[in-house]
Amino acid sequence: MHFSDYVILAFRNIWRAKLRSALTIFAVVIGATSVTIMLALVTGAKSFFLDQVQANGTLQQVAISPQQDITNFNDAQHNSGGNCSTNCTKLTDLVVDKVKAIPHVTGVARVAGQGMLAAIAYGNQNLSLNQTTAYDANGIIVNNVLAGRDIQTSDTTGVLTITSDYADKFGFKGNYGGIIGKSVKLLTQDFYSGVGANIQPPQQCNGPCNGNNQPNNKPTTLTGTIVGVIDTSNNSQSVRIPIEWMREMQENQMYQVTPADQAANAAQQAKCQRIAGPCNITQHMTLTTTDMLAQNGYSSLIAKVDNSKNAASVATAVKKLGLGAADAEASIKQQLTIFNVIGLVLGGIGGIALAVAAVGVVNTMVMAILERTREIGVMRAVGAKRSTVRTLFTIEAALLGFWGGVVGIAVGFGLTRIANIFVNKQLVSQGVKAHDIISLPPWLILAVVGIATLIGMLAGLYPAARAAKLNPVEALRYE
Amino acid sequence: MPIPTPVIELRGVTKTYKLGGETLNALDNVSLVIQPGDYVTLTGPSGSGKSTLANIIGGLDQPTSGTVIVDGNDLSQLRDAQLSEYRNHHIGFVFQSFNLQGNNTIVENVMLPLVFSKVGRKARKARAIECLQAVGLGDHLKHTANQLSGGQRQRVAIARALAVRPSIIIADEPTGNLDSAKGKEIMALINDLNTQGITILIITHDQEVARKAKHMIEIRDGKLSEHGA
Ligand SMILES: Nc1ncnc2c1ncn2[C@@H]1O[C@H](COP(=O)(O)OP(=O)(O)OP(=O)(O)O)[C@@H](O)[C@H]1O
Ligand SMILES: [Mg+2]
């Protein structure tokens, strides 16, 4: 019997029991559709993620933290520095120079993050600030700029970029360009003692005074000009400023009694002791400024490597300096594992649906064989071999699976198109260029149809074997 | 005169069924020879083993012991694939209950054996139409089997049996479901086939039919008593 005859016969038999076949195929469709959507989602999201990583140049970066025990790329970036005591090396400019000297390192961006600023105000909107990040605008750290521009090398103080969620709240949703060049107020924390803080000398006191107390307990208001609006996807509710401005903000200004003041004060006191009666002593103090950023070091560094292949070896070299370092590869691998796990779990759900569908196919085929027992007897009488009968029923079952797969792909395709519309909208609203994340590559289409067909075929094996084993004489007598 | 080679020879064929503890010999040591072009009727009471014998001759069933030799080959030694080919190439079965595929056209019904013998699509359609014309259904080609009368259906069954140009047609009570007029027409058709040289083995209860045969085999409790012309 020719293969095409098998397919034609099988097709006609499926057509003959339209309703039953349709219901069986429907079960396969549910399984195939869910597998399709799930695989499409995972592969799409994975490639989107990889594209993003590629575009950011993340693979060519090594994140460096003062904390030695940090091995994760993201943790290394987000470590805020803070107190550096054990297993910790301050990221001072001296250390930065050492990192720059490591072979394959083409540049280093210093990053300083601090919760120095408490709020940002524009018009009558006053919004709290999560994080102020400052970094060298030397092209190593790239942001997705939606309007205006990123911080650049020539910027020193008084300019900032804001994330798009702020721009939205300031009333520039859909018109990010409109906020560029606008001036905003930045309200500092109470303890702020950097540039612009109104530092008062301590209260005059009678008798000896060290004068170390910090009388200024009011927030300072700074002003800055917005030069850019950037995508929120990495970090929402944050502003980015040039590192030199951050240095000024972190300055510690205070009145101190310098050795010269001490001498002057001692002289005054000696004079008073000589005079009987009230004696007014004016405490001498001087406003001093300390560069705390230089003293405490940066919160993290991003080293750029000439080739992503060298990222791991550079990370190792950085660790030898007593620092924590991590390249992106490990954490990307980790995140890809997550995608794979999600894929497995979701695919598993679809797999269960397909398994149920397979049981449906078995059931349908067993029913069909009971119904067509006499027909099988006739086929055997006019010359069908056992193998002919077996092949015919196996192909029939495979065809049920095949149609289920085809319809499943079609439905899955339709649903992913619809889902993409929503996902794209979401992305655009977050300022990411819309590209259909949920993709249906040809291999997936082939795989789903192939798997559905194979499942149908496997489900048909047992019923087909039963049909082939039928005794033709008894089959012909079957009522 | 050369003696014609026996097409079919049965030697000591026994068919035993085991039902619970008891054994039942549906056929008991049956030996017979059917010559090419023969016309054999098989009669006997119900349950005597007629269908069993016909099925063994037709290669649809196999004996418990004994041999069935066709052109020097022992059927009981054949594998399923070879036995199926034997049925496909040499045997045309006609059943009492027609056994057609009711929703298929009669052309499709007649083509079925040719599908299994890998005859091309055009050739098998042509042959099916030819066979249907031979049984007088040339103007009903578009009909499905369900749309025909009993007598017409049996003609379709005969056309299906003829499709592969068999050397023997085995008909198990072909007129059993028909009234006597229609039955006579079918018998006339079968007689006609015999005059064209096809060997006929027919199971019947009709003594009139039986008497016209060249050979009449009577079977009782699985044992033969042959009356030949
Ligand atoms: N599969 C079977 N299992 C058990 N016994 C069987 C089986 N097939 C046939 N028999 C028995 O074998 C005997 C012969 O059966 P067979 O069908 O050959 O009779 P028959 O002569 O064709 O009868 P009828 O004229 O009623 O068709 C019967 O007694 C029947 O019960
Ligand atoms: Mg019978």
Side-chain angles (χ1 to χ4, degrees), chain A residues 77-367:
Chain A
Q77 277 179 288
H78 294 127
N79 176 52
S80 58
N83 43 4
C84 188
S85 51
T86 48
N87 291 331
C88 179
T89 308
K90 285 180 178 172
L91 295 173
T92 58
D93 283 313
L94 197 73
V95 172
V96 172
D97 288 339
K98 281 186 191 165
V99 172
K100 277 182 182 161
I102 294 171
H104 302 298
V105 173
T106 58
V108 174
R110 301 167 297 175
V111 181
Q114 193 106 43
M116 195 68 77
L117 300 178
I120 179 168
Y122 173 78
N124 49 12
Q125 290 273 7
N126 193 339
L127 306 171
S128 74
L129 250 174
N130 269 357
Q131 169 106 50
T132 311
T133 309
Y135 54 88
D136 284 315
N138 53 6
I140 292 175
I141 294 170
V142 182
N143 290 299
N144 187 6
V145 179
L146 304 178
R149 61 169 178 83
D150 214 342
I151 301 291
Q152 60 193 34
T153 330
S154 57
D155 293 329
T156 48
T157 58
V159 295
L160 68 152
T161 63
I162 59 170
T163 46
S164 58
D165 50 348
Y166 280 138
D168 293 343
K169 285 181 184 143
F170 289 147
F172 290 87
K173 197 180 177 110
N175 173 30
Y176 292 154
I179 201 169
I180 305 303
K182 294 278 190 298
S183 178
V184 287
K185 288 196 162 61
L186 298 166
L187 280 76
T188 70
Q189 307 278 6
D190 291 353
F191 56 77
Y192 180 82
S193 65
V195 159
N198 180 20
I199 308 287
Q200 297 294 325
Q203 299 291 314
Q204 292 292 328
C205 61
N206 294 318
C209 267
N210 281 331
N212 249 353
N213 56 329
Q214 200 70 53
N216 180 47
N217 254 342
K218 279 183 288 181
T220 307
T221 304
L222 306 170
T223 53
T225 306
I226 295 174
V227 295
V229 176
I230 66 173
D231 172 24
T232 47
S233 63
N234 293 330
N235 220 340
S236 64
Q237 295 191 17
S238 58
V239 302
R240 288 162 172 80
I241 59 173
I243 200 152
E244 286 318 311
W245 199 11
M246 177 62 92
R247 189 183 300 281
E248 291 188 354
M249 288 184 190
Q250 288 197 21
E251 272 176 1
N252 187 9
Q253 300 184 87
M254 62 178 181
Y255 281 91
Q256 268 184 320
V257 180
T258 60
D261 295 327
Q262 226 160 9
N265 291 337
Q268 276 194 74
Q269 245 165 337
K271 199 170 138 195
C272 277
Q273 276 170 351
R274 273 180 274 135
I275 306 165
C279 180
N280 243 355
I281 296 179
T282 318
Q283 282 285 351
H284 282 267
M285 294 193 94
T286 314
L287 186 64
T288 58
T289 303
T290 318
D291 184 345
M292 296 309 286
L293 194 56
Q295 195 172 312
N296 289 339
Y298 305 97
S299 33
S300 63
L301 305 176
I302 302 289
K304 179 144 187 184
V305 180
D306 54 3
N307 190 314
S308 58
K309 279 184 228 147
N310 298 322
S313 70
V314 167
T316 312
V318 170
K319 281 180 202 153
K320 289 209 180 104
L321 297 174
L323 306 165
D327 56 304
E329 198 178 288
S331 75
I332 284 168
K333 270 191 189 146
Q334 199 180 338
Q335 296 194 44
L336 287 182
T337 323
I338 293 167
F339 280 119
N340 288 337
V341 169
I342 293 171
L344 277 181
V345 170
L346 296 182
I349 295 169
I352 290 169
L354 278 180
V356 173
V359 174
V361 172
V362 174
N363 185 48
T364 299
M365 293 310 293
V366 168
M367 293 269 293

Side-chain angles (χ1 to χ4, degrees), chain A residues 477, chain B residues 45-52 55 96 172-173 203 205:
Chain A
R477 258 208 313 250
Chain B
S46 185
S48 56
K50 303 184 293 295
S51 294
T52 308
N55 288 337
Q96 179 176 345
D172 193 340
E173 298 184 45
I203 297 172
H205 286 296

Side-chain angles (χ1 to χ4, degrees), chain A residues 7 11 21 49 70-71 76 119 131 136 142 188 194 244 259 261 264 275 278 285 294 297 344 351 376 400 418 437 439:
Chain A
V7 175
F11 186 83
S21 301
F49 173 76
I70 280 182
T71 51
Q131 169 106 50
D136 284 315
V142 182
T188 70
E244 286 318 311
D261 295 327
I275 306 165
M285 294 193 94
L344 277 181
I376 293 166
L400 287 174
I418 294 168
I437 284 189
S439 55

Side-chain angles (χ1 to χ4, degrees), chain A residues 399-415:
Chain A
L399 219 53
L400 287 174
F402 172 80
W403 284 118
V406 168
V407 177
I409 279 281
V411 173
F413 181 79
L415 289 178

Side-chain angles (χ1 to χ4, degrees), chain B residues 49-88:
Chain B
K50 303 184 293 295
S51 294
T52 308
L53 181 61
N55 288 337
I56 285 174
I57 291 171
L60 206 54
D61 204 352
Q62 293 205 294
T64 314
S65 65
T67 52
V68 182
I69 294 161
V70 180
D71 283 341
N73 298 315
D74 184 355
L75 289 192
S76 61
Q77 297 300 311
L78 297 184
R79 294 166 173 279
D80 171 72
Q82 296 163 309
L83 202 59
S84 299
E85 263 174 38
Y86 164 73
R87 289 194 300 270
N88 189 235

